Amino acid sequence: MDLQYGLELVGTFVFAISGALAIREREHDMFGAGFTGFITAIGGGTLRDILLDSYPLVWIGDVKFLYAILAGVLTAFIFPNFLSRLRKTFFLFDTLGIGFFTVLGVEKALSLGVRPEIAAIMGMFSAVMGGVIRDTLTNEIPILFRKEVYASACLAGAVLYVVLNYFEVERDYNLLISMSLVISIRLISMKYKLSLPRLD
């Protein structure tokens, strides 16, 4: 199991937890939480692969991704009290998820031979669309449209990956460095309440 594959499974797992926690605050139905966790985990990657004409879709071609989603949903249900006691648990899992999926989305797009600029956009798309679908399903304003640094953090990490790849930085280091940038920007922006300029 190489680093990318391991990170992709972990990213799927944490995004599934994020989706399950989102619905659990409103409804204790396990099927609803499972469905939301599933859509959150595979939504962005599925749309990316459809746009890039990449088949079979990852979660269809490899059943381990379904197991990772199931593990994430079960984790949210088995340890609900523990998770609810953790401050900003939902934010933490969402941040980890977008960090993983940004760099993995760029990697996937580059492997399919698209231009670096398109690969960076696909990386951002992979990361944010699962959360957008999750928020839509739970009747929340999609996080993409809130006053938070979200998609721009993903784009920054995606661009960094493309640049480091151009300079032939070793692949595993590139994955970790670029993913860390996404997570760091997100955490710092939330801690200091930073946001992008508005169009007012």
Side-chain angles (χ1 to χ4, degrees), residues 122-143:
M122 288 294 104
M124 178 185 68
F125 194 82
S126 301
V128 304
M129 287 309 296
V132 169
I133 296 171
R134 175 201 62 216
D135 292 340
T136 302
L137 288 174
T138 56
N139 201 30
E140 295 282 348
I141 297 175
I143 194 168

Side-chain angles (χ1 to χ4, degrees), residues 12-13 15-24 27-42 65-66 68-77 134 137:
T12 300
F13 172 76
F15 249 23
I17 291 177
S18 170
L21 289 177
I23 197 67
R24 188 181 180 279
E27 183 63 57
H28 291 275
D29 178 75
M30 190 169 185
F31 179 81
F35 180 77
T36 307
F38 175 79
I39 292 297
T40 304
I42 60 93
F65 288 93
L66 293 180
I69 293 170
L70 177 61
V73 173
L74 289 176
T75 297
F77 267 81
R134 175 201 62 216
L137 288 174

Side-chain angles (χ1 to χ4, degrees), residues 20-86:
L21 289 177
I23 197 67
R24 188 181 180 279
E25 295 177 357
R26 298 171 176 270
E27 183 63 57
H28 291 275
D29 178 75
M30 190 169 185
F31 179 81
F35 180 77
T36 307
F38 175 79
I39 292 297
T40 304
I42 60 93
T46 296
L47 291 175
R48 175 204 65 213
D49 288 350
I50 291 173
L51 288 174
L52 294 175
D53 198 27
S54 174
Y55 298 98
L57 302 177
V58 172
W59 59 275
I60 293 177
D62 188 345
V63 73
K64 290 185 179 68
F65 288 93
L66 293 180
Y67 293 151
I69 293 170
L70 177 61
V73 173
L74 289 176
T75 297
F77 267 81
I78 294 173
F79 305 105
N81 295 328
F82 173 73
L83 292 173
S84 64
R85 285 197 300 267
L86 297 177

